[in-house]
Amino acid sequence: MRMKVMKFGGTSVGSADRMKHVAALITAPGEPAFVVLSAMSGTTNALIEAADYLYKRNPEGANEVINALEKKYIQHIEELYSTNEYKEKTSEFIRNEFEYLRSFTKDLFTSFEEKQMVAQGEIISTNMVVNYLHEQGTRAILLNALDFMRTDKNSEPDPAYIRQHLTTLMTENKGYQIYLTQGFICRNAYGEVDNLLRGGSDYTASLVGVALNVEEIQIWTDIDGMHNNDPRIVDHTEAVHQLNFEEAAELAYFGAKILHPTCVQPAKYAGIPVRLKNTMDPDAEGTLVDNHLSHGKFKAVAAKDNITAIQIRSSHMLLAAGFLRKVFEIFESYQTPIDMIATSEVAVSMSIDNNSRLAEIVDELKKYGTVTVDSGMCIICVVGDLHWSNKGFETRALEAMKDIPVRMISYGGSNYNISFLVKESDKKQALQCLSRVLFK
Ligand code: ASP
Ligand code: MG
């Protein structure tokens, strides 16, 4: 379809002014666009906080959070609309929404109710924006994500269902300039309200883009694209103007917060470019993610915190066939994914980012050998064209790390990444050194 998907995150729609700005951005090109919106920033967190109170059987706590949130929305509406007609219309909608949210404080509360509550964040933001667009005279329509976004029995999106239902909706509603929908929310295989997990609006954008086979999927945030290092830690980072899908996936997974990792795969398989743009600086080039690979180039560095390294040493077991399988099965049975792995003849080291089952995992691993655990670690991931036939690249990355104690190194797993496991306390220095050596 000759159309772009434009997704705006919570900060981009975080106030009445920001919403007006988004409305201007999506209508300015004068071409049809499919717009995916997050909830206003802070809303999803507030709704989850209210839900937590309800799990703990504290309806007063939940009501307090809900009432405080409602106050903010009343203020936003006052600022967003210029006519009484739209102020009243949207106020009534907000009143009903918050009555609905309060109704959850009166009954039995389970994850089923929580998901309905949390979904209201995106339902509210999209209704506010579509009303604003109508007030401005734009031909806009809100398509309810709950009518076409669907996950299957494994909680994975169901692309065939999404394509079929969304295409039908688009054919039934031809001729609009702006099609709007909610990010993040969906129905599951049983038809219940569900979601694509935190940060899932990027995923919605990608799934919608693929379902409609659009020209481009744009993810609008508040930074001018993916940077070559963490701008909160390293001075003078620069936006990377182009990334291969694989490079973007590595960066998203290993810490670059700007793009949700799940967003990359559907776009990659469909070959639809993803463009990262800055709402605050729309003319900035941003980052284009597509199939192109810049040969022999380092692109960016990212870091992932809260990593634990686990080493198991076993003189007699390690060479035996099937030993690694046994080790992996232990992690699998505690639903703990492994990020990095390094092996030698007598020991194997792995890293995990979720400690919740660490004690049990260590207990089971002890049956096979001596186990040591290092916590407070961090993965530093260097991304670029790191195909093994390119000479000297790993040497340059290692050279940059020469003053930092490195616990593990992983290279050759993919063609796009070399990862170092270091102490969290060395993260800053590691990122700075890498920027200096690789991007100067
Ligand atoms: N509102 C949801 C969240 O805060 C989804 C998103 O913004 O991507 O996680
Ligand atoms: Mg996000």
PDB file of all heavy atoms in Angstrom, residues 7-10 37-40 42-45 48 118 121-122 183-185 197-203 260, ligand 1:
ATOM      1  N   LYS A   7       4.577   5.779  14.071  1.00  0.00           N
ATOM      2  CA  LYS A   7       4.280   5.426  15.459  1.00  0.00           C
ATOM      3  C   LYS A   7       4.884   6.469  16.407  1.00  0.00           C
ATOM      4  O   LYS A   7       6.044   6.839  16.268  1.00  0.00           O
ATOM      5  CB  LYS A   7       4.843   4.044  15.770  1.00  0.00           C
ATOM      6  CG  LYS A   7       4.607   3.602  17.198  1.00  0.00           C
ATOM      7  CD  LYS A   7       5.840   3.778  18.049  1.00  0.00           C
ATOM      8  CE  LYS A   7       5.534   3.718  19.531  1.00  0.00           C
ATOM      9  NZ  LYS A   7       6.748   3.856  20.361  1.00  0.00           N
ATOM     10  N   PHE A   8       4.067   6.952  17.327  1.00  0.00           N
ATOM     11  CA  PHE A   8       4.531   7.947  18.296  1.00  0.00           C
ATOM     12  C   PHE A   8       4.455   7.376  19.699  1.00  0.00           C
ATOM     13  O   PHE A   8       3.418   6.868  20.124  1.00  0.00           O
ATOM     14  CB  PHE A   8       3.687   9.219  18.198  1.00  0.00           C
ATOM     15  CG  PHE A   8       3.858   9.918  16.882  1.00  0.00           C
ATOM     16  CD1 PHE A   8       3.084   9.567  15.793  1.00  0.00           C
ATOM     17  CD2 PHE A   8       4.840  10.893  16.725  1.00  0.00           C
ATOM     18  CE1 PHE A   8       3.260  10.170  14.565  1.00  0.00           C
ATOM     19  CE2 PHE A   8       5.029  11.506  15.498  1.00  0.00           C
ATOM     20  CZ  PHE A   8       4.235  11.147  14.411  1.00  0.00           C
ATOM     21  N   GLY A   9       5.567   7.477  20.438  1.00  0.00           N
ATOM     22  CA  GLY A   9       5.644   6.925  21.782  1.00  0.00           C
ATOM     23  C   GLY A   9       5.022   7.855  22.814  1.00  0.00           C
ATOM     24  O   GLY A   9       4.542   8.944  22.491  1.00  0.00           O
ATOM     25  N   GLY A  10       5.043   7.390  24.059  1.00  0.00           N
ATOM     26  CA  GLY A  10       4.384   8.097  25.150  1.00  0.00           C
ATOM     27  C   GLY A  10       4.814   9.547  25.334  1.00  0.00           C
ATOM     28  O   GLY A  10       3.976  10.424  25.572  1.00  0.00           O
ATOM     29  N   LEU A  37      -0.384   5.041  18.111  1.00  0.00           N
ATOM     30  CA  LEU A  37      -0.033   5.854  19.275  1.00  0.00           C
ATOM     31  C   LEU A  37       0.099   5.012  20.535  1.00  0.00           C
ATOM     32  O   LEU A  37      -0.656   4.068  20.764  1.00  0.00           O
ATOM     33  CB  LEU A  37      -1.113   6.915  19.535  1.00  0.00           C
ATOM     34  CG  LEU A  37      -1.377   7.944  18.450  1.00  0.00           C
ATOM     35  CD1 LEU A  37      -2.431   8.936  18.934  1.00  0.00           C
ATOM     36  CD2 LEU A  37      -0.104   8.675  18.051  1.00  0.00           C
ATOM     37  N   SER A  38       1.066   5.426  21.377  1.00  0.00           N
ATOM     38  CA  SER A  38       1.178   4.886  22.737  1.00  0.00           C
ATOM     39  C   SER A  38       0.221   5.650  23.636  1.00  0.00           C
ATOM     40  O   SER A  38      -0.351   6.665  23.237  1.00  0.00           O
ATOM     41  CB  SER A  38       2.585   5.096  23.276  1.00  0.00           C
ATOM     42  OG  SER A  38       3.504   4.260  22.656  1.00  0.00           O
ATOM     43  N   ALA A  39       0.124   5.196  24.881  1.00  0.00           N
ATOM     44  CA  ALA A  39      -0.566   5.974  25.904  1.00  0.00           C
ATOM     45  C   ALA A  39       0.289   7.195  26.245  1.00  0.00           C
ATOM     46  O   ALA A  39       1.497   7.183  26.026  1.00  0.00           O
ATOM     47  CB  ALA A  39      -0.748   5.116  27.140  1.00  0.00           C
ATOM     48  N   MET A  40      -0.335   8.262  26.767  1.00  0.00           N
ATOM     49  CA  MET A  40       0.448   9.416  27.215  1.00  0.00           C
ATOM     50  C   MET A  40       1.462   8.944  28.252  1.00  0.00           C
ATOM     51  O   MET A  40       1.160   8.045  29.056  1.00  0.00           O
ATOM     52  CB  MET A  40      -0.471  10.469  27.850  1.00  0.00           C
ATOM     53  CG  MET A  40      -1.434  11.092  26.863  1.00  0.00           C
ATOM     54  SD  MET A  40      -2.469  12.395  27.621  1.00  0.00           S
ATOM     55  CE  MET A  40      -1.397  13.837  27.514  1.00  0.00           C
ATOM     56  N   GLY A  42       3.610   8.003  31.297  1.00  0.00           N
ATOM     57  CA  GLY A  42       3.224   7.872  32.706  1.00  0.00           C
ATOM     58  C   GLY A  42       1.910   7.146  32.920  1.00  0.00           C
ATOM     59  O   GLY A  42       1.657   6.640  34.012  1.00  0.00           O
ATOM     60  N   THR A  43       1.075   7.089  31.890  1.00  0.00           N
ATOM     61  CA  THR A  43      -0.248   6.491  32.084  1.00  0.00           C
ATOM     62  C   THR A  43      -0.192   4.983  32.304  1.00  0.00           C
ATOM     63  O   THR A  43      -0.802   4.464  33.242  1.00  0.00           O
ATOM     64  CB  THR A  43      -1.158   6.814  30.877  1.00  0.00           C
ATOM     65  OG1 THR A  43      -1.281   8.234  30.783  1.00  0.00           O
ATOM     66  CG2 THR A  43      -2.530   6.197  31.032  1.00  0.00           C
ATOM     67  N   THR A  44       0.554   4.271  31.434  1.00  0.00           N
ATOM     68  CA  THR A  44       0.637   2.816  31.602  1.00  0.00           C
ATOM     69  C   THR A  44       1.198   2.478  32.986  1.00  0.00           C
ATOM     70  O   THR A  44       0.672   1.602  33.675  1.00  0.00           O
ATOM     71  CB  THR A  44       1.500   2.191  30.481  1.00  0.00           C
ATOM     72  OG1 THR A  44       1.016   2.680  29.232  1.00  0.00           O
ATOM     73  CG2 THR A  44       1.416   0.676  30.489  1.00  0.00           C
ATOM     74  N   ASN A  45       2.247   3.196  33.392  1.00  0.00           N
ATOM     75  CA  ASN A  45       2.812   2.955  34.728  1.00  0.00           C
ATOM     76  C   ASN A  45       1.774   3.191  35.816  1.00  0.00           C
ATOM     77  O   ASN A  45       1.668   2.411  36.766  1.00  0.00           O
ATOM     78  CB  ASN A  45       4.020   3.858  34.985  1.00  0.00           C
ATOM     79  CG  ASN A  45       5.246   3.383  34.224  1.00  0.00           C
ATOM     80  OD1 ASN A  45       5.288   2.253  33.755  1.00  0.00           O
ATOM     81  ND2 ASN A  45       6.235   4.257  34.100  1.00  0.00           N
ATOM     82  N   ILE A  48      -0.726   0.374  35.926  1.00  0.00           N
ATOM     83  CA  ILE A  48      -0.125  -0.832  36.524  1.00  0.00           C
ATOM     84  C   ILE A  48      -0.015  -0.663  38.045  1.00  0.00           C
ATOM     85  O   ILE A  48      -0.243  -1.604  38.803  1.00  0.00           O
ATOM     86  CB  ILE A  48       1.241  -1.136  35.867  1.00  0.00           C
ATOM     87  CG1 ILE A  48       1.013  -1.658  34.445  1.00  0.00           C
ATOM     88  CG2 ILE A  48       2.034  -2.158  36.690  1.00  0.00           C
ATOM     89  CD1 ILE A  48       2.261  -1.822  33.615  1.00  0.00           C
ATOM     90  N   VAL A 118      -5.159  -1.719  31.841  1.00  0.00           N
ATOM     91  CA  VAL A 118      -3.953  -1.170  31.219  1.00  0.00           C
ATOM     92  C   VAL A 118      -4.227  -0.737  29.776  1.00  0.00           C
ATOM     93  O   VAL A 118      -3.654   0.239  29.282  1.00  0.00           O
ATOM     94  CB  VAL A 118      -2.809  -2.215  31.317  1.00  0.00           C
ATOM     95  CG1 VAL A 118      -1.627  -1.814  30.467  1.00  0.00           C
ATOM     96  CG2 VAL A 118      -2.364  -2.366  32.772  1.00  0.00           C
ATOM     97  N   GLY A 121      -5.117   3.113  28.570  1.00  0.00           N
ATOM     98  CA  GLY A 121      -4.136   4.181  28.298  1.00  0.00           C
ATOM     99  C   GLY A 121      -4.096   4.526  26.818  1.00  0.00           C
ATOM    100  O   GLY A 121      -4.217   5.695  26.424  1.00  0.00           O
ATOM    101  N   GLU A 122      -3.961   3.513  25.987  1.00  0.00           N
ATOM    102  CA  GLU A 122      -3.890   3.732  24.537  1.00  0.00           C
ATOM    103  C   GLU A 122      -5.270   4.099  23.980  1.00  0.00           C
ATOM    104  O   GLU A 122      -5.369   4.876  23.029  1.00  0.00           O
ATOM    105  CB  GLU A 122      -3.364   2.469  23.844  1.00  0.00           C
ATOM    106  CG  GLU A 122      -1.844   2.395  23.666  1.00  0.00           C
ATOM    107  CD  GLU A 122      -1.058   2.134  24.948  1.00  0.00           C
ATOM    108  OE1 GLU A 122      -1.692   1.833  25.977  1.00  0.00           O
ATOM    109  OE2 GLU A 122       0.173   2.250  24.915  1.00  0.00           O
ATOM    110  N   GLY A 183      -1.363   1.476  19.809  1.00  0.00           N
ATOM    111  CA  GLY A 183      -0.250   0.546  19.913  1.00  0.00           C
ATOM    112  C   GLY A 183      -0.497  -0.371  21.101  1.00  0.00           C
ATOM    113  O   GLY A 183      -1.431  -0.162  21.888  1.00  0.00           O
ATOM    114  N   PHE A 184       0.348  -1.412  21.228  1.00  0.00           N
ATOM    115  CA  PHE A 184       0.444  -2.192  22.453  1.00  0.00           C
ATOM    116  C   PHE A 184      -0.720  -3.150  22.698  1.00  0.00           C
ATOM    117  O   PHE A 184      -0.518  -4.291  23.062  1.00  0.00           O
ATOM    118  CB  PHE A 184       0.618  -1.199  23.621  1.00  0.00           C
ATOM    119  CG  PHE A 184       0.640  -1.727  25.017  1.00  0.00           C
ATOM    120  CD1 PHE A 184       1.598  -2.654  25.416  1.00  0.00           C
ATOM    121  CD2 PHE A 184      -0.274  -1.268  25.963  1.00  0.00           C
ATOM    122  CE1 PHE A 184       1.645  -3.105  26.733  1.00  0.00           C
ATOM    123  CE2 PHE A 184      -0.235  -1.714  27.276  1.00  0.00           C
ATOM    124  CZ  PHE A 184       0.723  -2.641  27.654  1.00  0.00           C
ATOM    125  N   ILE A 185      -1.958  -2.746  22.463  1.00  0.00           N
ATOM    126  CA  ILE A 185      -3.084  -3.577  22.905  1.00  0.00           C
ATOM    127  C   ILE A 185      -3.549  -4.535  21.806  1.00  0.00           C
ATOM    128  O   ILE A 185      -3.384  -4.271  20.616  1.00  0.00           O
ATOM    129  CB  ILE A 185      -4.269  -2.740  23.440  1.00  0.00           C
ATOM    130  CG1 ILE A 185      -4.940  -1.932  22.343  1.00  0.00           C
ATOM    131  CG2 ILE A 185      -3.790  -1.826  24.552  1.00  0.00           C
ATOM    132  CD1 ILE A 185      -6.194  -1.202  22.822  1.00  0.00           C
ATOM    133  N   LEU A 197       3.108  -6.669  25.623  1.00  0.00           N
ATOM    134  CA  LEU A 197       4.126  -6.424  26.649  1.00  0.00           C
ATOM    135  C   LEU A 197       4.668  -4.984  26.586  1.00  0.00           C
ATOM    136  O   LEU A 197       4.500  -4.290  25.582  1.00  0.00           O
ATOM    137  CB  LEU A 197       5.273  -7.430  26.566  1.00  0.00           C
ATOM    138  CG  LEU A 197       4.844  -8.911  26.629  1.00  0.00           C
ATOM    139  CD1 LEU A 197       6.057  -9.815  26.571  1.00  0.00           C
ATOM    140  CD2 LEU A 197       4.010  -9.221  27.867  1.00  0.00           C
ATOM    141  N   ARG A 198       5.331  -4.592  27.668  1.00  0.00           N
ATOM    142  CA  ARG A 198       5.762  -3.200  27.803  1.00  0.00           C
ATOM    143  C   ARG A 198       6.596  -2.758  26.593  1.00  0.00           C
ATOM    144  O   ARG A 198       7.435  -3.500  26.095  1.00  0.00           O
ATOM    145  CB  ARG A 198       6.592  -3.013  29.093  1.00  0.00           C
ATOM    146  CG  ARG A 198       5.846  -3.209  30.391  1.00  0.00           C
ATOM    147  CD  ARG A 198       4.582  -2.390  30.520  1.00  0.00           C
ATOM    148  NE  ARG A 198       4.726  -0.969  30.298  1.00  0.00           N
ATOM    149  CZ  ARG A 198       5.019  -0.100  31.251  1.00  0.00           C
ATOM    150  NH1 ARG A 198       5.225  -0.497  32.476  1.00  0.00           N
ATOM    151  NH2 ARG A 198       5.074   1.187  30.975  1.00  0.00           N
ATOM    152  N   GLY A 199       6.327  -1.554  26.153  1.00  0.00           N
ATOM    153  CA  GLY A 199       7.049  -1.037  24.991  1.00  0.00           C
ATOM    154  C   GLY A 199       6.520  -1.598  23.681  1.00  0.00           C
ATOM    155  O   GLY A 199       7.098  -1.379  22.616  1.00  0.00           O
ATOM    156  N   GLY A 200       5.392  -2.327  23.735  1.00  0.00           N
ATOM    157  CA  GLY A 200       4.916  -3.080  22.584  1.00  0.00           C
ATOM    158  C   GLY A 200       4.335  -2.270  21.428  1.00  0.00           C
ATOM    159  O   GLY A 200       4.011  -2.831  20.389  1.00  0.00           O
ATOM    160  N   SER A 201       4.225  -0.959  21.593  1.00  0.00           N
ATOM    161  CA  SER A 201       3.668  -0.158  20.495  1.00  0.00           C
ATOM    162  C   SER A 201       4.540  -0.193  19.244  1.00  0.00           C
ATOM    163  O   SER A 201       4.019  -0.127  18.128  1.00  0.00           O
ATOM    164  CB  SER A 201       3.496   1.297  20.934  1.00  0.00           C
ATOM    165  OG  SER A 201       2.482   1.373  21.890  1.00  0.00           O
ATOM    166  N   ASP A 202       5.839  -0.300  19.424  1.00  0.00           N
ATOM    167  CA  ASP A 202       6.735  -0.430  18.264  1.00  0.00           C
ATOM    168  C   ASP A 202       6.391  -1.711  17.500  1.00  0.00           C
ATOM    169  O   ASP A 202       6.416  -1.743  16.262  1.00  0.00           O
ATOM    170  CB  ASP A 202       8.207  -0.530  18.697  1.00  0.00           C
ATOM    171  CG  ASP A 202       8.734   0.744  19.321  1.00  0.00           C
ATOM    172  OD1 ASP A 202       7.977   1.728  19.398  1.00  0.00           O
ATOM    173  OD2 ASP A 202       9.912   0.751  19.746  1.00  0.00           O
ATOM    174  N   TYR A 203       6.086  -2.748  18.262  1.00  0.00           N
ATOM    175  CA  TYR A 203       5.725  -4.035  17.662  1.00  0.00           C
ATOM    176  C   TYR A 203       4.439  -3.870  16.850  1.00  0.00           C
ATOM    177  O   TYR A 203       4.333  -4.327  15.710  1.00  0.00           O
ATOM    178  CB  TYR A 203       5.535  -5.047  18.798  1.00  0.00           C
ATOM    179  CG  TYR A 203       5.710  -6.501  18.431  1.00  0.00           C
ATOM    180  CD1 TYR A 203       6.122  -6.909  17.171  1.00  0.00           C
ATOM    181  CD2 TYR A 203       5.477  -7.493  19.395  1.00  0.00           C
ATOM    182  CE1 TYR A 203       6.292  -8.259  16.880  1.00  0.00           C
ATOM    183  CE2 TYR A 203       5.649  -8.847  19.109  1.00  0.00           C
ATOM    184  CZ  TYR A 203       6.049  -9.222  17.846  1.00  0.00           C
ATOM    185  OH  TYR A 203       6.215 -10.558  17.572  1.00  0.00           O
ATOM    186  N   HIS A 260      12.139  -1.060  20.188  1.00  0.00           N
ATOM    187  CA  HIS A 260      11.861  -2.317  20.872  1.00  0.00           C
ATOM    188  C   HIS A 260      12.355  -3.482  20.009  1.00  0.00           C
ATOM    189  O   HIS A 260      12.088  -3.513  18.814  1.00  0.00           O
ATOM    190  CB  HIS A 260      10.356  -2.432  21.144  1.00  0.00           C
ATOM    191  CG  HIS A 260      10.051  -3.414  22.222  1.00  0.00           C
ATOM    192  ND1 HIS A 260       9.784  -4.718  21.957  1.00  0.00           N
ATOM    193  CD2 HIS A 260      10.010  -3.278  23.562  1.00  0.00           C
ATOM    194  CE1 HIS A 260       9.575  -5.362  23.098  1.00  0.00           C
ATOM    195  NE2 HIS A 260       9.717  -4.508  24.089  1.00  0.00           N
TER     196      HIS A 260
HETATM  197  N1  ASP B   1       2.123   2.155  26.720  1.00  0.00           N
HETATM  198  C1  ASP B   1       2.859   0.929  26.682  1.00  0.00           C
HETATM  199  C2  ASP B   1       4.034   0.990  27.637  1.00  0.00           C
HETATM  200  O1  ASP B   1       4.241   1.995  28.271  1.00  0.00           O
HETATM  201  C3  ASP B   1       3.280   0.553  25.307  1.00  0.00           C
HETATM  202  C4  ASP B   1       4.248   1.498  24.632  1.00  0.00           C
HETATM  203  O2  ASP B   1       4.315   2.676  24.959  1.00  0.00           O
HETATM  204  O3  ASP B   1       4.958   1.065  23.726  1.00  0.00           O
HETATM  205  O4  ASP B   1       4.741   0.024  27.761  1.00  0.00           O
END
